[in-house]
Amino acid sequence: MSRPRSTNNFLLFCVATAIAALLTYLLWHFSPNLNALLSERMGAHPDPNTIINVLKLILIGVVAYLLVRALNSLIFGLTFRLRSGFAAPTLVRNVFTIIAFTIFFLIAFNSYFPDVNLGALFTTSAIFGVIFGLALQDTLGNFFSGISLQADRPFQVGDVITVGVQRHTGVVEGITWRAIKIRTFTNHVVIINNSTAAKEPIEVGPRENLNARIVYFNTLYADSPAKTIHVVREAVREADNVSQRVTPIVRIRNLGDNGVEYEVKYWLDDYAKYNDTDALVRQRIWYAFRRAGLNFAFPTRTLHVERKPKPGVLEGDGGAIIERLAAVDIFAPLSADETGVLAQAAVSHVFAPGETVIRAGEPGSSMFVVHNGRVRVQINENGRPRTVATLNEGDFFGEMALFTGEPRTANVIAMEETEVLEIGHAAMKTVFDTNPDLVESLSFIMAERRQGLAAQTDPSSAPTESAGILSAIKRFFGLA
Ligand code: CMP
């Protein structure tokens, strides 16, 4: 069974420390003997003391390195992680190691070779400086860029980033003093120099963040937007890795050449898996479309040959319209033929959720029957909208302006995608001519509605008694 890497490192560290300690002990203990031996073999030149001091310095260097490593693990591996919750960046740890080791080494060097002025050696050697500078130009560039990246902390290990114009995308695996290492979604490792990364734009998808994605799709123009939006939203919100915390947004982004173009925006629990999630979302949309009878648009040219409808014959949805009108209570007394005539005159309109069908105060010369969907009747009360009624399939509205010639008394707004059948003045007059009783039943309903309105607003000058309404309708339609 293989041991974890950290255990191996620790064992290696212990062995190296033990060997270094043993060698140090031996060198210090036997240095007089070694001195005598070297003097005997080599004479006074080179000085045996210098050789022994160099050996001691090397050993001190090794011990100092091991000590600094131990300190590093203690401070950054343990204390830092406990206090801030994550391990310190490699770059910070390396900088600490280099500085601490250099200090240890310089102290030791000074005590063994007090005559050598290291400071002067570094500062006075101009040639050394130039060579050093040129040779380390790139390295130092990376180093300082790395430091500024660490200081800014624009991203951390585990975040998804996209770097530069070449758009290298992947999960950050490490940030060292030289480069950023990312693992792409094809499991390749890309190393980007810190100095390059510092100059390039970087897009960051932080790990602990609700990052969003957008997937595009389109439908035929015949498919209802309200239905499409509902179906796709429900399909997407249940997909794996799509966050439950935010509801996906589905919206139309363009009315394109080949169809209605949509986008669905959703938020991910784990952004690093966005490729899989995008694919799953597209798959869910396909199945949802299939079940709901929606159609993807594709480049097509459709030739519509329009035939003039024969008079008296209802096209397409005609049967359903007749059925709908026959089920409206005020039209119940009409014969099948009369309902057919009314259906022939009815014009269908579709309204999106929230769209206004009728606006208060405007003139109106038609009434409406709710064919599919729902509407609300709204009045303004002290500048605020107030709903006085909700009308469902088979209910009618807009009769007050049509039958009295007065302006519309309220706003009527679609609550969901709603199809209404509009019936004009001429068609109603035909119906009234043959069914005078209809006027009476209508006047009752209108009186009831007027009373509902009057309870909300100031009693208007318009009559709320059905008798008054009845005579108003008769006058307006020129009925006997
Ligand atoms: P009209 O005045 O032409 O336009 C607004 C319509 O809202 C109105 O006709 C009625 O059909 C409808 N309406 C007004 N008040 C009520 C109510 N209290 N209950 C139901 N419908 C109403």
Side-chain angles (χ1 to χ4, degrees):
M1 212 176 74
S2 66
R3 266 194 298 263
R5 225 176 119 195
S6 54
T7 316
N8 281 344
N9 282 347
F10 181 69
L11 283 179
L12 203 67
F13 176 80
C14 291
V15 172
T17 311
I19 293 173
L22 182 67
L23 286 176
T24 312
Y25 169 77
L26 289 176
L27 188 62
W28 257 261
H29 195 260
F30 292 107
S31 63
N33 307 27
L34 192 61
N35 197 332
L37 186 75
L38 289 174
S39 307
E40 192 187 308
R41 295 271 166 95
M42 302 189 306
H45 287 286
D47 183 2
N49 248 338
T50 310
I51 297 174
I52 291 172
N53 280 348
V54 168
L55 285 176
K56 281 183 174 176
L57 201 62
I58 292 172
L59 265 182
I60 286 174
V62 172
V63 171
Y65 175 73
L66 290 169
L67 194 68
V68 168
R69 283 288 303 269
L71 269 178
N72 193 322
S73 301
L74 200 69
I75 296 172
F76 296 109
L78 209 66
T79 320
F80 194 91
R81 190 188 280 273
L82 282 180
R83 294 187 64 176
S84 55
F86 57 90
T90 320
L91 182 65
V92 175
R93 300 180 70 153
N94 288 350
V95 170
F96 170 81
T97 306
I98 291 168
I99 293 175
F101 177 74
T102 311
I103 291 171
F104 271 119
F105 187 78
L106 287 180
I107 292 171
F109 189 91
N110 238 10
S111 64
Y112 282 102
F113 300 100
D115 302 336
V116 181
N117 187 348
L118 271 183
L121 192 71
F122 277 105
T123 49
T124 55
S125 174
I127 296 175
F128 179 78
V130 170
I131 295 171
F132 192 72
L134 284 175
L136 293 185
Q137 203 176 22
D138 284 349
T139 314
L140 287 177
N142 284 329
F143 178 73
F144 287 114
S145 303
I147 287 183
S148 78
L149 276 178
Q150 295 294 347
D152 264 5
R153 298 192 68 80
F155 51 81
Q156 291 180 28
V157 172
D159 292 350
V160 175
I161 61 168
T162 302
V163 185
V165 278
Q166 286 178 307
R167 301 196 63 75
H168 292 298
T169 302
V171 181
V172 178
E173 282 207 331
I175 311 160
T176 67
W177 60 273
R178 198 186 73 75
I180 302 164
K181 185 173 158 193
I182 60 174
R183 189 166 292 272
T184 69
F185 296 121
T186 46
N187 207 21
H188 298 158
V189 173
V190 177
I191 313 283
I192 301 155
N193 284 342
N194 288 342
S195 53
T196 313
K199 287 181 218 139
E200 302 275 3
I202 303 177
E203 186 185 317
V204 184
R207 196 172 34 162
E208 304 298 339
N209 187 45
L210 270 183
N211 299 297
R213 290 286 297 170
I214 294 181
V215 158
Y216 304 101
F217 63 95
N218 53 20
T219 65
L220 294 181
Y221 273 103
D223 291 333
S224 139
K227 182 176 176 185
T228 307
I229 288 170
H230 175 75
V231 164
V232 172
R233 191 173 45 220
E234 292 311 305
V236 171
R237 76 196 306 176
E238 280 167 13
D240 280 354
N241 198 29
V242 170
S243 175
Q244 299 296 310
R245 283 187 278 166
V246 194
T247 309
I249 294 174
V250 186
R251 56 194 170 202
I252 296 177
R253 53 189 285 270
N254 191 27
L255 299 173
D257 286 346
N258 300 310
V260 184
E261 295 169 11
Y262 291 86
E263 64 183 22
V264 50
K265 181 176 178 185
Y266 52 92
W267 286 260
L268 299 181
D269 288 330
D270 182 356
Y271 190 59
K273 291 186 189 152
Y274 71 71
N275 279 322
D276 292 341
T277 312
D278 286 358
L280 182 64
V281 161
R282 291 188 191 102
Q283 195 196 71
R284 289 287 167 93
I285 293 174
W286 189 93
Y287 282 107
F289 265 38
R290 185 76 178 246
R291 287 193 300 274
L294 297 168
N295 304 282
F296 288 104
F298 41 84
T300 42
R301 285 278 174 271
T302 311
L303 190 64
H304 291 283
V305 181
E306 195 166 322
R307 285 197 192 86
K308 246 183 149 182
K310 284 189 197 135
V313 179
L314 271 172
E315 295 283 309
D317 217 10
I321 293 177
I322 293 176
E323 238 172 75
R324 167 65 65 220
L325 294 181
V328 177
D329 42 9
I330 52 158
F331 298 138
L334 301 187
S335 69
D337 283 352
E338 285 166 340
T339 312
V341 172
L342 207 57
Q344 186 68 55
V347 183
S348 147
H349 305 281
V350 180
F351 289 85
E355 266 194 300
T356 303
V357 185
I358 275 182
R359 217 174 288 276
E362 288 186 352
S365 57
S366 54
M367 65 174 283
F368 301 82
V369 171
V370 182
H371 191 20
N372 295 302
R374 231 153 31 114
V375 297
R376 67 168 162 262
V377 180
Q378 221 173 44
I379 55 163
N380 262 335
E381 201 180 57
N382 303 326
R384 287 175 154 209
R386 184 181 151 77
T387 300
V388 293
T390 302
L391 304 176
N392 300 305
E393 287 167 11
D395 289 339
F396 64 90
F397 59 91
E399 77 293 343
M400 292 188 180
L402 169 66
F403 297 148
T404 60
E406 289 162 7
R408 299 288 191 196
T409 51
N411 292 317
V412 179
I413 296 161
M415 294 171 75
E416 54 198 61
E417 189 180 81
T418 301
E419 185 180 0
V420 293
L421 304 173
E422 184 177 15
I423 303 165
H425 182 279
M428 280 315 293
K429 180 159 171 32
T430 318
V431 169
F432 285 155
D433 283 341
T434 47
N435 291 274
D437 294 350
L438 214 65
V439 187
E440 207 162 335
S441 58
L442 255 168
S443 64
F444 284 124
I445 294 174
M446 279 173 65
E448 223 172 73
R449 288 184 172 182
R450 278 245 161 95
Q451 268 156 14
L453 281 180
Q456 313 291 336
T457 54
D458 279 347
S460 67
S461 54
T464 54
E465 296 288 323
S466 67
I469 296 170
L470 181 65
S471 53
I473 298 175
K474 283 186 169 167
R475 248 196 331 273
F476 186 65
F477 276 82
L479 305 172

